[in-house]
Every structure is written in C-alpha cells, then in structure tokens.
Amino acid sequence: MKIPAKLKRMLTQLGFLMIVAIIAWQELHRPPIKSPSDAYPYLTSISPALVKQCIHENRTAPTIPLEELIAIRSTIPESEAQALINQLKNQVPFSAIDWGLLSKVTQNKVKRHKEILNQYTYYQPNVYKFPVIGTTWFGDSFGADREGGIRRHEGTDLFGKEGTPIVSICGGKVEQLGWNRLGGERVGIRGDDGNYYYYAHLKSIATTLVKGNRVQFGEPLGTMGHTGDALTTPDHLHFGIELPNGQWINPYPFLAVWQYWDEEKGS
C-alpha cells in the first residue's frame, strides 16, 4: 500500500519533533557536572600574585601557554621551576621536558595541574568577568565567623557605592531571583560550567531577568546595596561559588585575577 506524500511529510515532521523532544528532555534531566576532587582545592590554592607573575612572564615569552607557567611555578620551588621554564623558552615542548632530578610523583603533579588549568579556565583572559563595574575593594574573608560563630562566611564581600552596577561573571541560567532572609535581593546563576554563582545584598535586580532564562557573560544583574542581613553594614556585593556537590569554595583568588584582567583591558 502506497503512503500518500502528505502523510509521509507529517510522519517525517512528527519523527523530527520526537527527536527534538528527547534531546530537550535529556538536557533538562542531565545530572550536574561533577568536578574532580583535586581540581578546586588546587585552583583556590594558587595565589593571585603568582598568577599575575605568570601573566607578565607569558608576555615576555608568549609561545609558552599560561597554564604551563602556572602549573610549574605553583607546584615546585623557584630554582627547579626556572630550569623547566628555560627549556620551554627554548622551544622545548612541555611533553619533551627534561625533568632532571624531579621525582616521578612531582612530575605527575605538575602534569595534573596543567590538565586542571586547561579544563578549568578561571585564570585565562576573557573567559570570566569581574562582577562589579566601578570602584570596589575586597579582601579574603572566606570562612570568617558570622552570627557569633553560628555559621561561616561562604563568599567574598566586594564593597563599593550603593547603586554600583553588578554583572554576570559568565553565561548561564537564572536559577534564583528575588528576596531571601540572608541575601536580601539576590540573583543565583547556574553557570555554563555547572557551578552556582550567588550575587546577594543587591539594592535592585535587573528587570530583564526572568527565572529559567539565560544570561550572557557581562549581562547586568542589578546594583550594589545592603539588603537582607547586610542592612547595618556598608554597601557591598556578597559573591559566592557553590559547586554541583553543594560545597562552597573561596572566590577570592578568582576575583582578584578577574579584576586584574578587566583593569588590563581598560588600560
């Protein structure tokens, strides 16, 4: 029996719609991206000063990838690190480095750190954006006592003038929006990297934001304020990073480097 051409077209369209629906369902129900247990402890242990040193060094030797410089300098002492970097400056590929007397354990550690820096691009330029547009100051207060030691500070406070614009550090999806007791007016973004980025104590939230919708790198989220439990403190943005496993990590080293990249771009 011959199937009419119109019915064929309808069946083809129905099949296409079913495939799209299956793909969409899989995306919506895909489990969160899991991070290796060694990735973030290493990333947050790197001092911003060392990253900036490697950025300057990369400018004098641009053929050496930044992640190779950071991996070497953050893992082994200066005297041993320089011998390896000199080889890279002489066009020796990382894979062909003469490790000298360094143990196999140390060699594997450097290689693993290079892999992490390649995969988690927090220290690369133009991948993440500093969240405050304007004058701000901040320190490393992660883990400090809050409410008399009842809880710990799970982020970094960036102080500035009320109304200072706040933007998204990366692309992602709006997961939380509006008021809660501690954060006041807050925005929560599930980044494209799988992490949850928390922006709290805002004076106002951008009216363009809709829960469930996407935001882009650098998109306005709102303005700095002191809402929630920050009512009696100076105006500031509380910025937090929560991994898919529910662990909050220290944003300070990332923020310091993102600010540096932004300042470099503007200079």
Side-chain angles (χ1 to χ4, degrees), residues 49-219:
L50 185 140
V51 176
K52 293 173 189 178
Q53 174 191 341
C54 292
I55 290 169
H56 286 290
E57 193 168 7
N58 175 252
R59 288 183 182 137
T60 63
T63 57
I64 307 176
L66 181 60
E67 61 270 13
E68 293 180 7
L69 289 168
I70 298 174
I72 292 170
R73 291 212 177 277
S74 65
T75 310
I76 57 179
E78 170 67 22
S79 57
E80 296 168 326
Q82 195 57 53
L84 302 183
I85 290 168
N86 286 341
Q87 293 181 60
L88 297 175
K89 287 181 178 178
N90 289 323
Q91 310 298 312
V92 176
F94 186 87
S95 59
I97 281 178
D98 177 1
W99 296 90
L101 298 177
L102 288 173
S103 69
K104 199 71 177 174
V105 171
T106 301
Q107 294 177 37
N108 289 338
K109 203 171 185 180
V110 175
K111 291 174 184 176
R112 174 59 187 148
H113 288 169
K114 176 178 175 288
E115 288 176 1
I116 291 171
L117 290 162
N118 273 321
Q119 184 177 356
Y120 301 88
T121 53
Y122 285 99
Y123 295 127
Q124 294 290 340
N126 304 317
V127 180
Y128 292 86
K129 181 164 183 60
F130 190 66
V132 179
I133 306 298
T135 302
T136 185
W137 58 96
F138 59 99
D140 187 357
S141 59
F142 186 81
D145 283 351
R146 289 293 186 269
E147 295 183 298
I150 295 173
R151 59 185 179 85
R152 300 285 182 182
H153 192 225
E154 295 182 320
T156 297
D157 290 338
L158 300 99
F159 295 89
K161 185 179 178 182
E162 184 180 40
T164 299
I166 306 299
V167 299
S168 183
I169 58 116
C170 64
K173 186 174 75 172
V174 179
E175 218 170 74
Q176 295 294 339
L177 199 61
W179 182 272
N180 72 9
R181 182 182 71 82
L182 295 177
E185 295 293 351
R186 80 354 180 154
V187 177
I189 306 293
R190 179 65 60 183
D192 291 333
D193 56 14
N195 292 337
Y196 178 75
Y197 297 100
Y198 181 65
Y199 307 77
H201 308 315
L202 302 179
K203 177 185 179 184
S204 62
I205 294 174
T207 56
T208 53
L209 298 183
V210 177
K211 195 171 179 180
N213 283 8
R214 278 195 59 78
V215 293
Q216 303 302 323
F217 168 97
E219 183 173 333

Side-chain angles (χ1 to χ4, degrees), residues 17-38:
L17 289 172
M18 286 179 67
I19 291 169
V20 170
I22 290 169
I23 292 171
W25 187 92
Q26 288 175 335
E27 285 297 311
L28 286 171
H29 294 82
R30 184 170 56 183
I33 300 167
K34 292 184 178 179
S35 307
S37 59
D38 63 336

